[in-house]
Amino acid sequence: MLPAPRADLVANTFEYENAPLVKATGFREYDARWLFGPEINLLGVQALGLGLGTLIHEMGQTRIVVGHDFRSYSLSIKQALTIGLVAAGCEVVDIGLAVSPMAYFAQFDLDAPCVAMVTASHNENGWTGVKMGAQRPLTFGPDEMGRLKEIVLGGKWTQRPGGSLAHIDGVAERYIADAAARVKLTRPLKVIAACGNGTAGAFAPEGLRRMGVAEVIEMDCGLDWTFPKYNPNPEDHHMLSEMAKAVREHGADLCLGFDGDGDRCGVVDDEGEEIFADKIGLMLARDLSALHKDATFVVDVKSTGLFATDPVLAANGARTVYWKTGHSYIKRKTAELGALAGFEKSGHFFFNPPIGRGYDDGLVAAAAILAMLDRNPGKKLSDLKKALPVAYTSLTMSPHCADEEKYGVVDDVVAEYVALAEAGGTILGRRIVDVITVNGVRVALEDGSWVLVRASSNKPEIVVVVESTRSEDDMRALFREEVKPRLARRPQVGKYNQEI
């Protein structure tokens, strides 16, 4: 029997080769993320598989899809995970190299209730992780992750006979065909597919061609796990600026950027201007609410406040619910409410039938965006953007803060803002009209501007977003004169990944 994991093992030692290393911090709110080597070893991944297999048995399931992203170490991690799952008595169905939505698609395609996708998503090289689910199209939330953590760290798994492994071909072809069937373009479009040399490069360009895109220009679509140009993250300024440069260079109608595991989609319009995913979500909500009256949409707390005030959505009878940031949270809330779609500012889009199956898929999101353009043949993407009410939203900015400290720091900031609001305080001369604490704190001001501070669910970081209804300068002031100084008073808060 594999011994219970330890957290004190060091590489290049006898113990490291003979016992599982699993650090508790890798169990996040809705998936698992570790630095491979210092935080988890292959025996630790095997222990994770034993724990996951035990958990899905508790949930009455045994059949599970596994796949892996394109990292130098992902295949070996998937194999270690599979050893644990088989030892726990699971029927493992391996679809090979995949993007995360392909693994979710395979749950339906292969009639497998459960999924374990080995991916570090958009995280830098060195990171690994697993996205898991046992009730399609949902992925684990805090309850399931808490139970999994308890089983794995306590060595409380159960080994069972009857485990099996099957390698299945053809899923990629069926996945691409399924996504492409969601739109058949009638207007000629020149589209750039930007993949940052991540896994999506193997699938997204072909999917766009089958949707009827007249000219697909591939940008960094060759698979290269060193990520030589930039990290495949369409929320990162470096990738977005390269996408914008390519649009201007090729005279393209738009650029669609896919993250490392293909479940997110970023957009740059025909003028070479990035459109943050919440604004794309608002454009899609306007388009779809005209076709589906009285639709409900779910958006995360990082998203623009325009969903609540947009006159077009109001005229179409649409309702918007703000909910916790995180792909699992928005996915679950979208399913729970029977919402037409859910949008997350990081670029996760969730479409329920008839548009999608409820899980986040960058290629299905691309299809929805292209279908919106097809329904507006006389308008460019920039025209649809300019038709939105004006709001100036920042990049997502993330100062470093250790996993062990980030939640305590955010709790203190929440308490400060709640007290400030109760005392009738102001921010840059504006009265606070609402304090939403469902996920960190979102402080709404009387003119519709707002600031957000929350703990990242999957990295040792704090997340900061601000939005102004006045100007770009005011948006910068909300960060530089309000949020940044408030966080700077706390020594646990470190350097930002990017700033406005």
Side-chain angles (χ1 to χ4, degrees):
M1 178 77 80
L2 197 67
R6 293 167 54 182
D8 61 343
L9 301 179
V10 178
N12 199 21
T13 62
F14 179 86
E15 290 82 4
Y16 190 90
E17 293 298 306
N18 286 277
L21 166 69
V22 182
K23 295 215 170 168
T25 51
F27 293 92
R28 311 294 170 130
E29 292 180 41
Y30 45 80
D31 57 19
R33 302 275 174 95
W34 290 273
L35 282 167
F36 180 49
E39 296 181 353
I40 195 168
N41 62 4
L42 288 175
L43 287 173
V45 177
Q46 186 176 329
L48 179 68
L50 276 162
L52 177 59
T54 300
L55 176 59
I56 66 173
H57 269 281
E58 287 181 359
M59 302 170 78
Q61 307 293 348
T62 58
R63 186 169 166 85
I64 184 168
V65 169
V66 298
H68 70 283
D69 69 4
F70 196 76
R71 306 267 180 159
S72 61
Y73 42 82
S74 290
L75 176 57
S76 62
I77 288 171
K78 183 184 72 176
Q79 289 172 328
L81 184 76
T82 298
I83 290 170
L85 287 167
V86 171
C90 294
E91 180 187 355
V92 180
V93 182
D94 189 341
I95 62 170
L97 182 70
V99 286
S100 291
M102 189 186 304
Y104 304 150
F105 166 79
Q107 289 179 270
F108 293 86
D109 183 56
L110 303 175
D111 192 23
C114 306
V115 65
M117 175 67 193
V118 172
T119 178
S121 188
H122 62 278
N123 284 24
E124 296 82 1
N125 271 325
W127 285 91
T128 190
V130 188
K131 293 181 177 178
M132 296 162 276
Q135 186 185 358
R136 58 193 175 198
L138 305 182
T139 41
F140 283 176
D143 291 344
E144 295 88 351
M145 289 305 299
R147 177 60 182 147
L148 179 63
K149 179 179 180 180
E150 178 186 4
I151 295 170
V152 174
L153 296 185
K156 298 176 181 176
W157 51 73
T158 301
Q159 291 194 201
R160 291 179 171 89
S164 65
L165 170 63
H167 293 272
I168 305 296
D169 293 326
V171 175
E173 165 60 29
R174 294 192 294 275
Y175 162 73
I176 292 171
D178 180 79
R182 298 180 184 280
V183 60
K184 290 299 176 192
L185 292 172
T186 59
R187 65 183 285 191
L189 291 172
K190 182 190 289 190
V191 179
I192 298 169
C195 296
N197 302 110
T199 321
F203 312 106
E206 177 62 19
L208 296 177
R209 291 188 184 97
R210 294 197 200 178
M211 291 175 195
V213 174
E215 183 178 354
V216 176
I217 299 168
E218 297 189 16
M219 175 182 165
D220 303 324
C221 290
L223 301 189
D224 186 339
W225 57 44
T226 68
F227 305 143
K229 302 283 187 67
Y230 45 80
N231 217 42
N233 179 5
E235 200 180 13
D236 184 80
H237 181 69
H238 190 179
M239 183 168 180
L240 285 168
S241 60
E242 292 299 316
M243 289 165 60
K245 190 189 304 180
V247 167
R248 291 189 287 267
E249 178 184 329
H250 293 283
D253 292 290
L254 72 158
C255 179
L256 297 167
F258 302 92
D259 76 332
D261 68 328
D263 59 6
R264 293 192 296 138
C265 183
V267 183
V268 169
D269 71 14
D270 50 283
E271 295 182 346
E273 295 294 326
E274 62 201 53
I275 309 178
F276 293 129
D278 56 342
K279 301 289 177 61
I280 285 288
L282 181 57
M283 293 157 65
L284 287 168
R286 282 181 155 199
D287 177 63
L288 294 170
S289 63
L291 302 173
H292 305 270
K293 294 294 183 184
D294 303 322
T296 296
F297 299 99
V298 177
V299 300
D300 76 313
V301 292
K302 286 163 57 181
S303 295
T304 178
L306 294 175
F307 280 97
T309 58
D310 183 56
V312 174
L313 292 185
N316 291 339
R319 178 175 76 107
T320 301
V321 175
Y322 284 86
W323 195 241
K324 298 177 183 180
T325 291
H327 65 85
S328 183
Y329 292 128
I330 300 300
K331 196 181 313 187
R332 281 174 178 262
K333 199 67 175 177
T334 302
E336 176 192 320
L337 297 178
L340 183 62
F343 307 116
E344 194 182 12
K345 191 173 187 287
S346 61
H348 291 275
F349 297 85
F350 309 88
F351 297 99
N352 274 329
I355 306 162
R357 287 192 177 87
Y359 53 77
D360 38 345
D361 186 335
L363 200 50
V364 170
I369 293 163
L370 295 173
M372 174 176 66
L373 282 170
D374 210 54
R375 284 190 284 269
N376 292 272
K379 295 179 180 178
K380 298 178 289 187
L381 190 58
S382 58
D383 296 328
L384 298 177
K385 181 186 72 175
K386 289 170 186 174
L388 298 177
V390 176
Y392 304 88
T393 314
S394 73
L395 295 163
T396 299
M397 298 168 285
S398 299
H400 183 272
C401 190
D403 285 317
E404 298 87 349
E405 296 176 325
K406 63 187 181 183
Y407 291 104
V409 169
V410 170
D411 286 345
D412 287 345
V413 173
V414 171
E416 278 191 7
Y417 276 125
V418 169
L420 182 64
E422 289 175 350
T426 61
I427 290 178
L428 301 190
R430 277 159 280 185
R431 184 170 51 87
I432 297 171
V433 296
D434 195 16
V435 180
I436 300 172
T437 58
V438 69
N439 188 203
V441 62
R442 177 171 166 139
V443 186
L445 308 180
E446 59 185 318
D447 65 349
S449 303
W450 53 270
V451 303
L452 171 77
V453 178
R454 57 176 290 272
S456 170
S457 298
N458 51 33
K459 294 179 78 174
E461 294 176 344
I462 289 172
V463 175
V464 175
V465 182
V466 300
E467 181 174 88
S468 170
T469 57
R470 297 185 178 185
S471 67
E472 284 199 21
D473 286 342
D474 183 61
M475 179 257 287
R476 291 188 179 91
L478 286 169
F479 171 64
R480 296 193 168 275
E481 298 174 27
E482 166 55 35
V483 181
K484 188 178 181 182
R486 191 176 294 275
L487 288 174
R489 293 199 291 270
R490 293 162 168 85
Q492 306 98 313
V493 179
K495 184 179 178 182
Y496 286 75
N497 65 334
Q498 57 186 2
E499 296 184 37
I500 51 173

